[in-house]
Amino acid sequence: MKIAIFNIHSWEKEYLETANAGKNTLKMLDAYLNIDTVKLAEGCEAISIFTEDDASAPVLDKLHELGVRFVAFRSAGFNNIDAAHAQKIGIRMVRVPEYSPNAIAEFTVAVMLALNRKLIRSHYRIMQMDFSLDGLVGFDMNNKTVGIIGAGKIGRVVAKILHGFGCKLLVYDIVEDPFLIKEYGIEYTDLDTLCKQSDIITLHVPLVEDTHHIIYKKRIASMKKGVMLINAGRGALVHTQDVIDALKSGQIGYFGMDVYEEEKGLYFEDHSEDILQDDIMARLMTFKNVLISSHQAFLTDTALKNIARITFENLECIEKGGTCINEICVK
Ligand code: NAI
């Protein structure tokens, strides 16, 4: 099969080539998929895309016209495709629902520790030959209350790791899992109680209508003063301007941000020669207690190997006409 791989990143190219093992003809494209670039898929039966590509209805219609029959996401999330329209015009879609929950969970905890123990500040200080410890006091994780919003594949690994630290774990989720209660001593609670009682709050719910801006002004006001907030879920789970206001007042004491509502066109790319146009990002970059990463939580060797392998397995499966467990179906 001939597959156009849109929006290829240098860090995934080798993994895709290895997983493909010469079976398919790959057309590696730097371009994002959108209405202007869609014609690059000409002659391909399948395309593969990532979270920032635009697979809206007009783009899908053009793909269909070009003879593309399959869209393979190299990600779990697929909110950038008009899935109902794709289904209607007969384009089948597949994704990688799970590639390494550990990768994201471990990164989440790394951010918690880096913020708590002020590791980035201390590193920069030492690079300036300043070996003082003033302003670097952290806190023990042991006995702290951590609120996990969403304990699915990723959130449960966060719970497992933090249980090992001796944290008290509160979870807000629409589904309760008795295993987590038994194994890690978690306590399911409502969102208000979680916000009121937690020293650290971490977000691992998908971005859906109910979770859009789940963290906003009123909810932040109900949290403990100086709370640590970590978002390695999706940018729009938090109202970023409300978080900035709370950082200014000290209501939020630490903010770890791996995802950003306006990350499209900014993240994953080198903008070091550009003038930053995003004033919200510019303000976030001024806080010493904010740790920003560029949607990096998933980026491990294990995750990249799995993404590449599952992407080609998915395509092989639907090409044969069978059912594929990773197919995106709209009811
Ligand atoms: P999952 O589907 O296994 O778990 C999500 C959990 O959220 C489930 O337990 C579900 O019951 C719960 N949930 C869903 N809607 C809810 C609601 N309205 N209120 C409360 N709980 C709700 O998903 P997984 O694999 O744990 O991933 C979670 C999110 O992490 C993804 O949706 C994605 O946005 C994000 N993610 C971030 C990555 C990164 O690199 N930063 C990489 C991969 C995923």
Side-chain angles (χ1 to χ4, degrees):
M1 175 158 45
K2 194 165 176 194
I3 310 166
I5 316 266
F6 278 89
N7 189 6
I8 185 93
H9 304 94
S10 55
W11 36 261
E12 60 175 342
K13 205 169 176 177
E14 196 188 312
Y15 291 94
L16 289 164
E17 277 164 353
T18 305
N20 183 46
K23 280 192 206 149
N24 302 286
T25 307
L26 306 183
K27 189 174 179 187
M28 302 277 195
L29 300 163
D30 289 332
Y32 290 101
L33 172 69
N34 59 38
I35 199 69
D36 300 322
T37 61
V38 62
K39 55 186 174 300
L40 293 169
E42 190 158 18
C44 297
E45 290 163 85
I47 64 159
S48 173
I49 59 174
F50 205 63
T51 47
E52 325 93 86
D53 292 290
D54 170 13
S56 53
V59 178
L60 290 165
D61 285 336
K62 189 72 192 161
L63 284 171
H64 188 255
E65 205 181 298
L66 293 169
V68 172
R69 290 184 293 141
F70 312 119
V71 175
F73 276 88
R74 307 193 296 287
S75 63
F78 57 94
N79 41 348
N80 49 330
I81 192 165
D82 187 335
H85 189 73
Q87 199 162 289
K88 194 172 122 202
I89 61 174
I91 292 183
R92 292 178 73 185
M93 303 154 281
V94 281
R95 67 184 183 117
V96 187
E98 177 176 341
Y99 41 85
S100 175
N102 296 286
I104 299 112
E106 289 168 14
F107 187 90
T108 299
V109 177
V111 170
M112 277 178 201
L113 294 175
L115 279 168
N116 167 9
R117 306 307 295 269
K118 303 168 176 68
L119 291 179
I120 313 291
R121 278 177 76 188
S122 85
H123 174 76
Y124 277 122
R125 206 181 268 194
I126 285 167
M127 293 301 104
Q128 302 292 321
M129 292 294 283
D130 175 356
F131 291 85
S132 70
L133 294 179
D134 295 339
L136 300 183
V137 178
F139 56 82
D140 282 22
M141 294 291 284
N142 185 41
N143 285 329
K144 286 287 176 294
T145 300
V146 182
I148 302 174
I149 302 184
K153 291 184 283 295
I154 297 168
R156 66 180 47 228
V157 182
V158 172
K160 178 182 167 188
I161 299 170
L162 296 178
H163 176 64
F165 283 180
C167 297
K168 182 180 175 208
L169 302 171
L170 299 178
V171 171
Y172 169 68
D173 198 303
I174 45 173
V175 181
E176 295 200 2
D177 183 349
F179 175 83
L180 297 181
I181 302 172
K182 188 168 162 274
E183 233 21 58
Y184 311 130
I186 70 137
E187 193 184 311
Y188 282 100
T189 184
D190 58 86
L191 192 50
D192 288 339
T193 308
L194 181 147
C195 288
K196 275 188 197 124
Q197 294 185 3
S198 300
D199 300 295
I200 300 173
I201 296 175
T202 183
L203 295 160
H204 303 288
V205 275
L207 178 63
V208 290
E209 214 178 311
D210 284 352
T211 60
H212 184 261
H213 290 172
I214 194 167
I215 302 299
Y216 69 107
K217 195 174 179 168
K218 210 170 134 200
R219 204 149 265 150
I220 295 169
S222 75
M223 294 176 189
K224 283 188 181 178
K225 189 157 176 81
V227 65
M228 181 188 291
L229 178 67
I230 310 285
N231 186 11
R234 282 289 177 269
L237 295 175
V238 305
H239 188 295
T240 316
Q241 185 56 53
D242 289 353
V243 170
I244 290 176
D245 293 343
L247 283 160
K248 283 163 78 177
S249 72
Q251 174 64 11
I252 291 181
Y254 314 78
F255 181 42
M257 183 179 103
D258 185 52
V259 284
Y260 175 46
E261 202 167 356
E262 302 300 328
E263 69 183 51
K264 194 172 171 179
L266 181 66
Y267 278 17
F268 298 121
E269 284 170 26
D270 180 2
H271 291 285
S272 53
E273 299 298 320
D274 301 344
I275 295 167
L276 180 59
Q277 299 296 328
D278 182 331
D279 292 348
I280 294 200
M281 175 56 86
R283 186 65 179 97
L284 284 163
M285 285 160 72
T286 66
F287 294 104
K288 289 190 183 67
N289 50 351
V290 173
L291 181 49
I292 305 169
S293 47
S294 181
H295 206 137
Q296 189 190 335
F298 73 100
L299 198 66
T300 66
D301 178 65
T302 307
L304 292 175
K305 271 188 190 138
N306 288 340
I307 291 170
R309 177 181 54 79
I310 298 166
T311 297
F312 292 116
E313 283 174 3
N314 283 344
L315 282 170
E316 195 181 331
C317 180
I318 48 169
E319 192 197 14
K320 283 182 179 156
T323 49
C324 173
I325 48 163
N326 296 331
E327 183 156 5
I328 301 166
C329 295
V330 186
K331 285 176 195 105

